[in-house]
Amino acid sequence: MTEIDTSVPHSARIWNYWLGGKDNYPVDEEAGDAYTAVFPGIVTIARSSRAYLGRSIRHLVEEAGIRQFLDVGTGLPTVDNTHEVAQRSAPESRIVYVDNDPLVLTHARALLTSTDEGVTAYEDLSLYEPERILEAAARTLDLSRPTALILSGILGHVTDYDVARDLVARLLAGLPSGSYLDINDGSRGTDPDYEQAQDAYNETGAVPYLLRPVDRIAAFFDGLELVEPGIVSVPLWRPDGDTPPEPIGQHGGLGRKP
C-alpha cells in the first residue's frame, strides 16, 4: 500500500475537513483554517457543492429514471456519497467510483458498501485515461443503458482547458443516448474574494485548482440538452426550502445526451 504523507497538507483531506469529515490530519486542519482565515466562504462552497450533488442525483434517480452512475474524481468519502443518495431512492442503483489517489484508495472500503439490490465498485484509474475508465466501468455497469457521468470538483485540476474538454467528450462518447453529464466546479465572476484566495493557494506549490469563467464550464455541455435551470451557481440549482439562496463561485448543472 502506498504510504500516506501526513507531514504536508492534501487538498482532498482539507476538503474532507471543511465538510466535517474525520479523514484528515492536523496539518490539513491547519491549512484549512489558514484558507478559511483568508476566505471563510470556502466552507459554504464545499458544503454547497456536496448539497448540489445530492439534489442532482435525486433528480437523476427520481425524475430521469437513471440507475447507473460513473463518478470520476471521487475524493474522500464523507456524508451523502453518490451511492448513498442514489440507493436511498432506488436501492437497485449501480455505482462505479474512479480515483487514482492513494489516500482515496485507502478509504475506498467506505465507498464499497451497497444495498443488497445494488452494486458499488471502485476503480483505481486516472481521469486522463477515459477509455480505460469506460472499459473498467463496463465490468459493473451496462453501458448500453443510460448512465450518469459525475465530475464533481475535478475538472479544475485539469489546467489545460482544451484537454479538460477532450476528456469529458471522450468519456461521454462511451455512453449511450439518454445518459447525463453532471458537473459542478469552481467558477470566476461571482466571488472575487474566493478567486483571490484560490489564486494565492495555487501559488503555494500545492496541486493547483483553477476557477473557470461560467461560459467555459457551460461549454463542457455543448451538444447536450440542459436540464432546467441550466448552468447556474450550485445553490440556485433546484434549491430545497423557501429561502432564496445566495450565488457562490461554484457552478454546475445537468445535461442529457440526445
Side-chain angles (χ1 to χ4, degrees), residues 15-172:
W15 198 257
N16 176 268
Y17 171 56
W18 287 332
L19 286 172
K22 304 298 182 190
D23 295 314
N24 49 73
Y25 299 95
V27 66
D28 307 303
E29 296 181 15
E30 290 167 17
D33 289 343
Y35 195 116
T36 57
V38 176
F39 178 61
I42 191 61
V43 175
T44 298
I45 286 173
R47 295 180 180 179
S48 295
S49 172
R50 177 58 53 140
Y52 160 79
L53 184 63
R55 294 196 308 276
S56 64
I57 292 169
R58 286 199 304 272
H59 172 86
L60 287 165
V61 173
E62 296 171 6
E63 305 295 328
I66 297 295
R67 296 294 182 268
Q68 302 192 127
F69 296 83
L70 177 55
D71 187 337
V72 182
T74 304
L76 282 167
T78 50
V79 294
D80 282 345
N81 300 295
T82 296
H83 71 284
E84 293 169 327
V85 177
Q87 292 182 345
R88 200 175 293 145
S89 295
E92 71 276 20
S93 297
R94 304 171 78 87
I95 295 90
V96 173
Y97 291 107
V98 178
D99 210 310
N100 72 329
D101 186 320
L103 183 71
V104 179
L105 181 61
T106 300
H107 293 279
R109 63 188 178 277
L111 292 165
L112 295 181
T113 59
S114 175
T115 57
D116 292 338
E117 304 95 321
V119 178
T120 64
Y122 181 90
E123 299 291 345
D124 183 21
L125 290 168
S126 164
L127 172 63
Y128 292 93
E129 306 172 284
E131 286 75 26
R132 288 188 66 198
I133 288 172
L134 291 164
E135 181 183 354
R139 293 195 287 263
T140 301
L141 309 178
D142 177 356
L143 296 186
S144 69
R145 296 175 52 222
T147 301
L149 171 62
I150 296 173
L151 298 165
S152 180
I154 184 68
L155 293 172
H157 286 302
V158 183
T159 53
D160 187 308
Y161 179 64
D162 291 333
V163 170
R165 288 198 65 178
D166 179 64
L167 293 171
V168 173
R170 286 158 66 191
L171 285 167
L172 282 173

Side-chain angles (χ1 to χ4, degrees), residues 236-251:
L236 308 183
W237 198 92
R238 301 184 176 228
D240 297 325
D242 300 324
T243 306
E246 294 291 326
I248 60 173
Q250 186 87 4
H251 277 67

